[in-house]
């Protein structure tokens, strides 16, 4: 930096002759026109506002007026921001020839050149080589030039290419100097028409040889030994080991040329040439190009630390060897220098066709707008062709922000050679992926993070800090690059820019606020770019609304005879005319201008809309940003069509749909209007402007019509795009998604109901504060406030499910069109069981057989059965199942069965043939053997058929108990070895019983699943994992194909953690008396969740991507050993000693100690509801899920068929949910902060237990008040009565509607709400109590397995829809109390009515509530009085409940009187 100061000081005398600046002549006209046009805009907006407020009497007219007002307001705002460029445009000129008069060449400041590349296939290394050679050959002291190439793809191919370039440079640089060549890019030079000398031919042959070697290496994907010429090169290439991947590798820094040592063939020193591939890790964010540039900024500081830094894209080669001298003409100017951050050269492109059909030159962005910026604080940074003063990266002009180490400071002098050990060591350190942690890099110093458009954001922040820039626009282009030459690449590039600009626009550094406050008028220039995406609004409105109105004969513009017609004409012609004039004055042609405005419209209907959508999805956590490199590779056919100026539409992209829609709609609207004119129908004067607009759009859409109708080449518009322009389109045909029709009604109802809730709570608060004069009235009012506040909170969380519910549909039949069956990903199935008595082994066997028989390549399926009960019975059952599978699987395939659970298949009504009878006999025989073993309590010797089986059962010694035993892993089937009777391979089948110890915590089901995750990783490590409960058998053999329809979808795939199928249950009685289907939990809520980040994990029927268990989508958390990594390839057979040894090790009870299992990776610990908690944490980390709800249930399971089992199950869930609710990851705080609206969904589940408060209050308080003649609700004649009625009927009505619309009956809905009340008085109440006791250390939590065994008598009563109260459980006491109290309160009130005593109007709502509770309590009255079977309510419970109800009544009466 000191060298730069000395240089600028010595040239002070001549500084005025180095450059000149001249304002553009049209500036005054621009200002006058701006004033006039602003007046016209104001008149138009006033007209729109007047029309909207005074003349819009219908919904249609209001919508049209509002749309036009919004569209024209956006256009007005964008036009105003454009005028900031036109207030003071200037032209500059520099005189590099004068530099030699004021200073010597050896006093020039050092120059560090940064070249960025990221993908050797999209950005061919030979292109990078040409760019590097063109700047190495600058007319500049070579010893002062250092070229740093950042390879963010970490490719050995790029390093090889640069090694070849280093050798070639020793010939090329002296050749350029000797022949005074202007084009110093070898490829461009040799392609131009030159008269070759023998020397030129020789150099050309050397270059062609280099090109051939590099091309061959890229084609083969490896560096052949024949190309490695030294041990130094071999040592460099050896860094690319097996574990070296693009996204995970150490730093590689290779000094290819050192200016103090390496010389060319004439003896002159060569520039420094350094290859840099910064460290990458899946656990660290690398900030795309901005991160790469900051790594180069630090690495170069340690090696050369030149005061001038030139940034270049890998394809932007130098076209003028004097370019750095031109930059020096400004950097050395004392009038500019103190605050100068950078000198920006325009981006220019080679190979652009005559009329630039894709507007790839971006003439406004790269040439016209910078002239206007240059009269203010200077042009924006455009990402390439920029000479920076290194000091500008370290604070504002007056405040220097020192980097964390002095070696990175811009004024630090590098004293050692760049190959010295200390320099290289420091360079590797500062290129590390964790180096920037806890530093100012990217936030206050260096290139700035926070946007995909890092160039725009960096320049913006530097201008805000007080720096300025200069636009250097010489006659000969300084740089030439490659522009997209197909439409889709252009649109994707602009979509990325749109997302990046939105990230800045909606940040705390928004140009419209922070920018204008910091820079005034310059802030408006940045605002213009920042709000590019808003162009999508007016373009969409004017592409569709007037045309739809025209088709319906509706006039929305002024008539030709009205004055406003001329206002519209002036506004249109004025805006377009000014743009055209600027274009032509800066050397553009009409053809290029026309295509520029056409592409602006196309981008408005594609890039900007899709960019805005993707940004919103990411902001909601549904998607994640990525940085896609624009390809520099061009196909010959595509290139030929481009040269012929034919648009390229070959790919069936959804981005083509809106523009095709516009083309078709405008064609039909114009045609219809034209027919109206011919037939003399319609108001021609009124529709004239709409006709004109449709015609204008049609002319712009000519390439689209051509691509639909007139073309047959590969670049024509795909028929799929054309045929779907009138409806929504998905990226693939594998799945579709459709919002529910009732969504809008849900949102309107939510708004109304919310107002009603606030009214009620306000009434309660007023009553509590002003009218509660006694302790009794205060207690009643407070109870009602608390109860209704809880209900209001829970209702508000419920609405989060109703804001964006969707229905999905998948098309598994289309998978074969996308991929071959043998290319399907592997599938690991985890089945969990824990007790052979409560979960009979035959049920587990049937579940396993149903998934082993999937319509899926069997060699890709591995079934792992976790037996947490450590039972020899379960192992025996699976040994039998393995033998039976060899007959069952081919039988299923041959018969094309849908029910592949043997028990379900044989229980159904089938017409048997002899083969079926034979299979059934085999199954029944197996079933008898298994059940006999379970019944006898031991594996009988006669059933052990081999030494291998005996050896397995010998592990069950006397010391082997359920809570304390070693690991048992038994491979029962091996897919590479075992075949069925038809010769096809069978799936892997593995029995796992993890090690248990009384001294170790085993974390219940979550611990078992994590063991399965590790054991399976050592054996098969399939990328897809299916988790299943032991009773949840598969009911559809196509289920994994349905899951693949989502996993394979590129729009969903990257962030998809799992595909969740609903839990469905067999054997449910007609009206589902226990609400065992959990319709809302398993079907209704997931539909709502699916419109956000996806359904919560339900514990079974979920297909996971294994990667989801190891960190968030962008940050991979590596397990402690590489064999457990999701991308580890298992090469040995699963029965090999090494595999089995490792599997036993990872299943050990102490294996997880000091690891991240259960906390950051795998299924999560910390709650009894491990499914809820795991799904919740995955969603918080940025993953999403999908709800797959096919017409045929994918899985069927067993639900509790007696009330107590159901209540105990819910009590366990309650405790688990409370563990999450009161943890540091509480959904109401951490969840909402991480996921927004999705956090409210999880809060709804988490606060389920709080329902016990309002249910308890409303089950007892109004009834006790009724018995004591106390009125607590409004009278029938009061307005608040109708508020209560609306709130009750509204909530219940919406629930009922949801139920019915999803195919359920009134009976099922009624029982669902009844069970909700019962759970509020039992499961939630007892669960909350048990949680509190555990928190106080008085009790301990346990995991009770829900029994799958059903008693015959109990089953009979269940089928008759009779409630089961047989066990004398304390959980029956509160509901019996409520039943008794409500019966007596209602009876007392009824007697009062008969006698004409009491305030009937005041007590009506209490009577109604008691009656409603009574109706719900009918099964309890029946169980107390009318029944004599074993399922009746025990007398003990009745007596206790009656006594407690009396005690409650007595207490209430004492307080009242």
């Amino acid at each position: 930096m000191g060298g730069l100061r000395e240089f600028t000081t010595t040239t002070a005398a001549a500084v005025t002759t180095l450059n000149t600046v001249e304002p553009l002549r049209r500036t005054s006209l621009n200002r006058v026109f701006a004033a006039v046009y602003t007046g016209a805009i104001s008149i138009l907006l006033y007209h729109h506002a007047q029309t909207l407020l005074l003349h819009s009497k219908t919904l249609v007219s209001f919508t049209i007026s509002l749309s036009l007002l919004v569209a024209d307001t956006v256009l007005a705002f964008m036009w105003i921001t454009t005028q900031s460029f036109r207030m003071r445009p200037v032209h500059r000129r520099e005189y590099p020839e004068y530099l030699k008069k004021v200073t010597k060449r050896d006093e020039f400041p050092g120059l560090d050149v940064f070249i960025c590349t990221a993908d050797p296939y999209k950005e061919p290394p030979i292109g990078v080589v040409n760019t590097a050679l063109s700047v190495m050959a600058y007319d500049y002291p070579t010893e002062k030039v250092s070229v740093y190439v950042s390879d963010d793809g970490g490719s050995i191919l790029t390093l090889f290419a640069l090694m070849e370039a280093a050798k070639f440079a020793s010939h090329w640089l002296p050749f350029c100097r000797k022949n005074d060549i202007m084009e110093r890019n070898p490829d461009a030079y040799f392609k131009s028409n030159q008269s070759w000398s023998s020397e030129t031919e020789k150099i050309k042959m050397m270059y062609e040889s280099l090109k051939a070697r590099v091309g061959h290496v890229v084609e083969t994907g490896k560096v052949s030994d024949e190309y490695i010429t030294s041990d130094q090169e071999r040592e460099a290439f050896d860094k690319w080991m097996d574990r070296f991947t693009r996204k995970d590798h150490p730093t590689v820094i290779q000094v290819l040329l050192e200016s103090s040592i390496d010389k060319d063939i004439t003896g002159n020193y060569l520039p420094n040439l350094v290859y840099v591939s910064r460290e990458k890790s899946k656990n660290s964010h690398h900030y795309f190009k901005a991160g790469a540039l900051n790594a180069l900024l630090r690495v170069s500081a340690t090696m050369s630390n030149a005061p001038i830094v030139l940034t270049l894209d890998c394809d932007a080669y130098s076209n003028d060897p004097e370019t750095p001298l031109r930059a020096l003409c400004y950097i050395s100017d004392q009038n500019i220098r103190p605050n100068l951050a950078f000198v920006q050269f325009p981006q220019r492109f080679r190979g652009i066709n005559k009329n630039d059909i894709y507007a790839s030159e971006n003439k406004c962005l790269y040439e016209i707008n910078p002239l206007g910026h240059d009269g203010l604080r200077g042009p924006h940074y455009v990402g390439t062709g920029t000479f920076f003063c290194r000091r500008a990266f370290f604070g504002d002009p007056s405040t220097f922000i020192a980097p964390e180490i002095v070696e990175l400071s811009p004024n630090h002098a590098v004293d050692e050679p760049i190959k010295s050990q200390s320099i290289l060591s420091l360079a590797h350190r500062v290129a590390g992926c964790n180096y920037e942690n806890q530093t100012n890099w990217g936030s206050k110093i260096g290139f700035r993070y926070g946007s995909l458009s890092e160039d725009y954001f960096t320049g913006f922040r530097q201008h805000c800090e007080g720096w300025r820039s200069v636009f250097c626009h010489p006659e000969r282009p300084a740089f030439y690059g490659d522009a997209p030459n197909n439409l889709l690449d252009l649109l994707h590039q602009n979509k990325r820019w749109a997302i990046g600009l939105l990230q800045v626009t909606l940040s705390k550094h928004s140009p419209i606020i922070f920018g204008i406050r910091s820079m005034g008028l310059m802030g408006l220039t940045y605002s213009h770019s920042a709000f590019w995406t808003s162009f999508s609004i007016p373009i969409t409105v004017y592409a569709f609304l007037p045309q739809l109105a025209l088709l319906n004969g509706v006039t929305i513009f002024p008539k030709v005879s009205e004055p406003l017609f001329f206002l519209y004409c002036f506004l249109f012609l004025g805006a377009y005319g000014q743009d055209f004039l600027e274009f032509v004055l800066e050397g553009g042609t009409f053809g290029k201008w026309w295509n520029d405005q056409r592409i602006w419209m196309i981008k408005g209907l594609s890039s900007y809309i899709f960019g805005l959508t993707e940004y919103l999805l990411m902001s909601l956590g549904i998607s994640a940003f990525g940085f896609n490199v624009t390809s520099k590779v061009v196909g010959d056919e595509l290139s030929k069509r481009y040269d012929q100026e034919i648009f390229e539409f070959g790919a069936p992209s959804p981005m083509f749909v809106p523009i095709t829609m516009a083309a078709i709609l405008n064609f039909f609207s114009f045609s219809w209007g034209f027919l109206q004119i011919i037939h003399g129908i319609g108001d021609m004067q009124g529709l004239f402007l709409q006709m004109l607009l449709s015609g204008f759009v049609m002319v712009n859409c000519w390439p689209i019509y051509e691509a639909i109708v007139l073309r047959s080449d590969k670049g024509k518009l795909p028929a799929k795009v054309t045929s779907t322009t009138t409806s929504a389109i998905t990226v693939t045909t594998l799945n579709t998604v459709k919002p529910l029709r009732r969504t809008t009604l849900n949102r309107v109802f939510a708004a109304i109901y919310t107002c009603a809730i606030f009214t009620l709570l306000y009434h309660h608060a007023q009553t509590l504060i002003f009218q509660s004069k006694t302790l009794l009235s205060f207690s009643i009012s407070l109870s009602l406030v608390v109860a209704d506040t809880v209900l209001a909170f829970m209702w508000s969380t419920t609405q989060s499910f109703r804001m964006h519910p969707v229905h999905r549909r998948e098309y598994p039949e289309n998978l074969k069109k996308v991929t071959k069956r043998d290319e399907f990903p592997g599938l690991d199935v985890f089945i969990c069981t824990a007790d052979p008595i409560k979960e009979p082994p035959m049920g587990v066997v049937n579940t396993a057989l149903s998934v082993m028989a999937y319509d899926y390549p069997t060699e890709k399926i591995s079934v792992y059965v976790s037996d947490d009960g450590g039972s020899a019975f379960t192992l025996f059952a699976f040994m039998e199942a393995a033998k039976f599978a060899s007959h069952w699987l081919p039988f299923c395939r041959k018969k094309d069965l849908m029910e592949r659970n043997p028990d379900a298949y044989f229980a159904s009504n089938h017409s048997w043939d002899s083969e079926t009878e034979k299979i059934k006999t085999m199954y029944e025989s197996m079933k008898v053997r298994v059940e006999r073993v379970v019944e006898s309590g031991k594996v009988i010797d006669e059933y052990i058929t081999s030494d291998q089986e005996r050896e397995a059962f010998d592990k069950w010694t006397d010391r082997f108990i359920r809570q304390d035993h070693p690991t048992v892993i038994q491979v029962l089937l091996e897919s590479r070895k075992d075949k069925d009777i038809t010769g096809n391979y069978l799936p892997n089948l593995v029995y796992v019983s993890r090690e248990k110890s009384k001294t170790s915590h085993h974390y219940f089901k979550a611990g078992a699943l994590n063991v399965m995750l590790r054991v399976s990783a050592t054996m098969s490590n399939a990328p897809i994992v299916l988790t299943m409960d032991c009773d949840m058998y598969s009911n559809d053999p196509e289920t994994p194909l349905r899951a693949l329809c989502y996993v394979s979808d590129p729009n969903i795939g990257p962030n998809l953690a799992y595909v969740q199928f609903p839990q469905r249950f067999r054997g449910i009685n007609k009206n589902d008396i226990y609400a065992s289907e959990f319709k809302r939990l398993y079907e209704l809520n997931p539909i709502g969740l699916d419109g956000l980040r996806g359904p919560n994990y339900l514990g079974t029927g979920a297909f996971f991507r294994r990667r989801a268990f190891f960190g968030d989508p962008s940050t991979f958390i590596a397990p402690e050993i590489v064999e457990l990594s999701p991308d580890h390839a298992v090469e040995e057979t699963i029965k090999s000693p090494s595999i089995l040894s490792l599997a036993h090790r990872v299943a050990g009870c102490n294996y997880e100690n000091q690891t991240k299992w259960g906390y950051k990776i795998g299924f999560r610990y910390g709650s009894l509801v491990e499914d809820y908690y795991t799904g919740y944490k995955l969603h918080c980390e940025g993953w999403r899920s999908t709800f797959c709800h096919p017409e045929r249930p994918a899985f069927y399971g067993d639900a509790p068929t007696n009330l107590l089992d159901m209540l105990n199950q819910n009590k366990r869930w309650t405790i688990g949910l409370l563990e999450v609710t009161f943890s540091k990851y509480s959904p109401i705080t951490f969840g909402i902060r991480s996921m927004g609206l999705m956090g409210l969904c999880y809060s709804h589940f988490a606060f389920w237990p709080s329902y016990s408060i309002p249910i308890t209050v409303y089950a007892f308080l109004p009834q006790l008040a009724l018995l004591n003649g106390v009125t607590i609700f409004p009278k029938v004649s009061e307005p608040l009565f109708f508020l209560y009625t609306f709130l009750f009927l509204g909530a219940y009505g919406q629930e009922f509607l949801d139920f019915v619309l999803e195919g359920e009956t009134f009976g099922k809905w009624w029982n669902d709400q009844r069970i909700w009340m019962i759970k509020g008085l039992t499961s939630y109440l007892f669960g909350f109590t048990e949680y509190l006791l555990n928190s106080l250390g008085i009790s301990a939590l346990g995991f009770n397995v829900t029994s799958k065994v059903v008693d015959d008598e109990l089953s009979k009563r269940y089928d008759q829809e009779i409630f089961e109260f047989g066990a004398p459980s304390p959980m029956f006491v509160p509901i019996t109390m409520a039943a008794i109290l409500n019966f007596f309160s209602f009876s007392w009130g009824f007697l009062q009515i008969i006698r004409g005593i009491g305030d009937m109007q005041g007590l009506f709502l209490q009577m109604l509530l008691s009656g409603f509770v009574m109706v719900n309590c009918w099964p309890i009255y029946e169980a107390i009085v009318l029944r004599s079977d074993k399922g009746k309510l025990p007398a003990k419970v009745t007596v206790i409940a009656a006594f407690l109800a009396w005690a409650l009544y007595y207490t209430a009466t004492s307080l009242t009187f």
Side-chain angles (χ1 to χ4, degrees), residues 73 252 328 378 407 412 451 460 585 817 836 890 898 935 1001 1038 1085 1242 1328 1402 1439 1453:
T73 302
V252 178
L328 279 189
E407 291 87 348
H412 171 68
S451 171
F460 169 65
L585 289 174
K817 300 174 185 176
M898 289 300 287
E935 190 179 340
H1001 199 314
E1038 284 196 340
N1085 289 351
Y1242 274 103
F1328 192 75
V1439 170
T1453 305

Side-chain angles (χ1 to χ4, degrees), residues 139-140 186 329 383 387 608 636 714 725 777 803 834 891 1302 1330:
D139 277 346
Y140 206 80
C329 289
F387 287 82
Y608 299 158
D636 291 338
K714 291 182 179 179
T725 53
S777 62
M803 289 301 100
F891 176 76
E1302 289 303 318
E1330 192 167 320

Side-chain angles (χ1 to χ4, degrees), residues 19 161 260 302 357 545 799 1021 1118 1150 1449:
N19 66 78
S260 59
T302 67
I357 58 170
L545 182 62
Q799 299 317 296
N1021 207 28
N1150 295 317
Y1449 167 71

Side-chain angles (χ1 to χ4, degrees), residues 793-837:
F793 169 74
M794 293 303 289
W795 180 86
S796 66
T797 60
T798 308
Q799 299 317 296
S800 56
F801 302 113
R802 294 177 169 134
M803 289 301 100
H804 191 225
V806 297
H807 269 152
R808 294 184 185 272
R809 186 179 175 189
E810 54 289 332
Y811 305 93
E813 65 273 12
N814 289 347
L815 273 172
K816 59 187 177 184
K817 300 174 185 176
V818 178
T819 185
K820 298 176 183 176
R821 277 179 65 87
D822 57 6
E823 292 175 355
F824 285 178
L827 173 65
D828 286 347
V829 183
F830 299 168
I831 301 172
C832 293
T833 184
D835 188 324
I837 307 303

Side-chain angles (χ1 to χ4, degrees), residues 352-369:
I352 299 290
N353 56 22
K354 182 184 176 183
N355 288 308
D356 188 14
I357 58 170
Y358 300 135
S360 301
E361 282 189 346
N362 276 313
K363 198 163 184 76
C364 289
L365 177 63
Y366 294 143
E367 294 182 54
I368 297 172
N369 293 354

Side-chain angles (χ1 to χ4, degrees), residues 513-578:
I513 303 170
F514 183 82
I516 292 176
R517 194 167 61 236
S518 302
M519 299 181 284
L521 193 60
M522 185 72 182
L524 266 187
T525 70
Y526 274 103
S527 298
H528 176 77
S529 304
F531 283 90
W532 265 0
T533 46
S534 67
F535 272 132
S536 62
I537 298 169
I539 291 173
T540 303
V541 168
Y542 280 110
F544 295 102
L545 182 62
Q547 293 77 359
L548 291 168
L550 176 57
L551 284 168
N552 289 281
V554 178
T555 301
I556 65 173
F557 293 142
K559 294 182 178 182
V560 177
S561 57
E562 294 175 4
L564 277 172
F565 171 82
F566 300 100
L567 177 68
Y568 271 83
C569 291
F570 169 71
L571 288 168
F572 178 83
L573 295 175
Y576 265 74
Q578 190 177 31

